[in-house]
Amino acid sequence: MDGCELDRVNRQLVHALQVDGRAPLSRIGSVIGVSDRTLGHRYRRLRELHGLRVVAVPNSRNIGVRDWLVRIRQAGETVPALAAQLARRQDVTWVGIAAAGTEIMCIVHTLIGEEDAGLWRALRQVPRAAVITTQCLLQPVAGATGWQVRTEALDSDEVSALRPHAAHDSDGERVELQDGDWRMLRALSKDGRLGFSRLAEVTGWSEASARRRLATLRHSDAVRFTVEIAPALFGYEVEAMVWLKVTPMLLSETSAALARHPEVAFAAHVTGDSNLMAMVMCRDTQGLSHYMLQQISLLPGVLGAEAQIVVRRTKRAGSPPPALTTTAARRHVDTHAMLRGMSTTSPVAAASPRFRTDAIEHANPS
């Protein structure tokens, strides 16, 4: 499988790993009717050539963490280096460069009750001339269990056979994570399929203790596993961030309609001038234009919309992966280098930068 898109068996494998990121390949093979040897070969090829990864993602709601969507504009020529710095932080995910290489968007995770300090720490390297806007992610409305295009290869019986357990409904009860939990989650954010012997090493626990604790965290829905793989392998070449301003009384109806769009990989209610955001995947720029004109415009209660194409992702849900193989590296085009000539450097602000949080401006502490 060296083509530009995935065939049926590879789509089934990706879907199965989204259902249970730690399922043994032998179990997946038995469910989809493929031999262990064939499935193992395909899994290795997807990892080596296309960067397939399973990563652990803490469930912020259940561990006392608040998530913030951050936009950094007017950062000038520092954008590539700043995006790389943000990607290395454990409290920052989904780092992307947009607006022809002049804007950075990311999600910052802060402990509840320490939001100011957490945002300052994460953003302290931002240049003083930059403008920072933050929006609190209030409630996911789509994509919490995976992008629907990536999860349509298995039927309901196959999904049931692979599903590891039913997460316990914590009813708002938070799970207190200890130092060993965080060490385990950091390791799993790089490779969600690490064996228990390795998890025992990083936590200082026995293998049995590591196994029990991970099972507990999964059962309490404190941690989930997701698949990282390029949307282009599913035929979607363009990724964009979309912000919608929706009449409040129609927000629930609009959110439900938006969640049914196959283009929407993730969506959530947010604070600020726009109250609904979405990560959108389209086949090309013409497809994005059609999506905005023919689908977004028809949603009930939409008063305004903004879209920005993400030209480069330096980090998704998990920690940045190690260097890809030479073949994979050739497939990952440095879009910023191609667009550098198109970018414009913002004029340097005369005073300290502005930090806009939920439509209220603050001075950047850096």
Side-chain angles (χ1 to χ4, degrees):
M1 190 281 303
D2 290 321
C4 295
E5 295 189 25
L6 305 183
D7 64 14
R8 178 174 175 274
V9 172
N10 282 297
R11 287 174 182 249
Q12 288 178 310
L13 174 56
V14 171
H15 188 174
L17 290 173
Q18 184 66 48
V19 174
D20 183 1
R22 292 183 62 83
L25 294 181
S26 58
R27 182 154 66 92
I28 296 174
S30 66
V31 170
I32 66 176
V34 177
S35 70
D36 294 1
R37 182 175 180 179
T38 297
L39 206 60
H41 173 72
R42 285 173 174 264
Y43 175 71
R44 288 189 297 272
R45 295 283 286 177
L46 286 171
R47 281 177 58 91
E48 293 167 2
L49 295 180
H50 300 292
L52 170 70
R53 289 201 304 164
V54 174
V55 296
V57 181
N59 182 2
S60 297
R61 175 179 177 271
N62 286 5
I63 62 172
V65 168
R66 187 155 286 148
D67 300 331
W68 303 86
L69 177 61
V70 177
R71 301 179 70 177
I72 303 169
R73 286 166 284 189
Q74 299 180 21
E77 296 180 352
T78 68
V79 165
L82 179 59
Q85 289 177 344
L86 290 169
R88 289 192 290 268
R89 294 189 60 89
Q90 291 291 329
D91 54 355
V92 179
T93 58
W94 292 99
V95 182
I97 298 175
T102 63
E103 178 177 342
I104 297 173
M105 293 174 288
C106 62
I107 294 179
V108 176
H109 311 277
T110 66
L111 293 176
I112 292 177
E114 301 180 17
E115 290 86 352
D116 284 354
L119 286 167
W120 296 150
R121 282 193 298 269
L123 304 174
R124 65 179 182 272
Q125 299 299 325
V126 175
R128 295 182 64 82
V131 174
I132 304 173
T133 304
T134 69
Q135 295 175 283
C136 185
L137 295 180
L138 300 176
Q139 175 67 43
V141 296
T145 57
W147 179 29
Q148 58 179 294
V149 169
R150 208 170 55 198
T151 55
E152 58 186 11
L154 303 178
D155 62 34
S156 58
D157 291 337
E158 290 169 329
V159 170
S160 297
L162 288 166
R163 197 178 302 282
H165 60 280
H168 169 64
D169 184 0
S170 61
D171 195 26
E173 181 181 350
R174 293 178 187 169
V175 177
E176 295 293 333
L177 297 185
Q178 307 303 317
D179 288 345
D181 297 325
W182 287 114
R183 288 195 295 270
M184 179 165 60
L185 292 181
R186 280 195 293 269
L188 291 171
S189 73
K190 299 175 182 177
D191 182 358
R193 293 178 65 83
L194 281 179
F196 287 106
S197 59
R198 178 60 181 146
L199 294 180
E201 291 178 14
V202 300
T203 59
W205 302 334
S206 67
E207 288 188 34
S209 295
R211 186 185 300 272
R212 284 194 299 270
R213 185 54 177 167
L214 182 56
T216 298
L217 293 176
R218 297 185 75 181
H219 182 65
S220 60
D221 202 22
V223 61
R224 299 169 178 174
F225 289 87
T226 191
V227 173
E228 291 190 349
I229 190 168
L233 294 173
F234 294 84
Y236 290 76
E237 299 280 352
V238 171
E239 178 180 352
M241 297 289 294
V242 175
W243 289 266
L244 302 178
K245 186 173 185 178
V246 181
T247 302
M249 66 182 298
L250 295 176
L251 184 58
S252 294
E253 180 183 348
T254 305
S255 301
L258 183 73
R260 291 192 289 270
H261 293 176
E263 293 86 355
V264 174
F266 177 80
H269 296 158
V270 294
T271 57
D273 293 337
S274 56
N275 49 8
L276 184 59
M277 61 75 61
M279 295 181 182
V280 170
M281 308 296 174
C282 295
R283 296 192 179 277
D284 49 32
T285 52
Q286 184 177 358
L288 176 60
S289 176
H290 181 274
Y291 177 69
M292 297 298 294
L293 292 173
Q294 302 298 322
Q295 296 194 64
I296 291 296
S297 65
L298 298 180
L299 290 173
V302 173
L303 304 175
E306 176 191 357
Q308 285 284 0
I309 291 178
V310 179
V311 296
R312 182 181 178 187
R313 275 286 177 203
T314 59
K315 185 178 186 180
R316 291 186 180 272
S319 295
L324 297 171
T325 63
T326 303
T327 302
R330 286 197 296 266
R331 296 172 184 262
H332 286 67
V333 179
D334 186 344
T335 311
H336 180 81
M338 296 194 323
L339 296 174
R340 188 174 293 125
M342 298 169 55
S343 302
T344 57
T345 303
S346 303
V348 177
S352 63
R354 309 303 299 170
F355 190 157
R356 182 179 170 89
T357 304
D358 301 342
I360 301 175
E361 292 189 346
H362 303 275
N364 187 334
S366 60

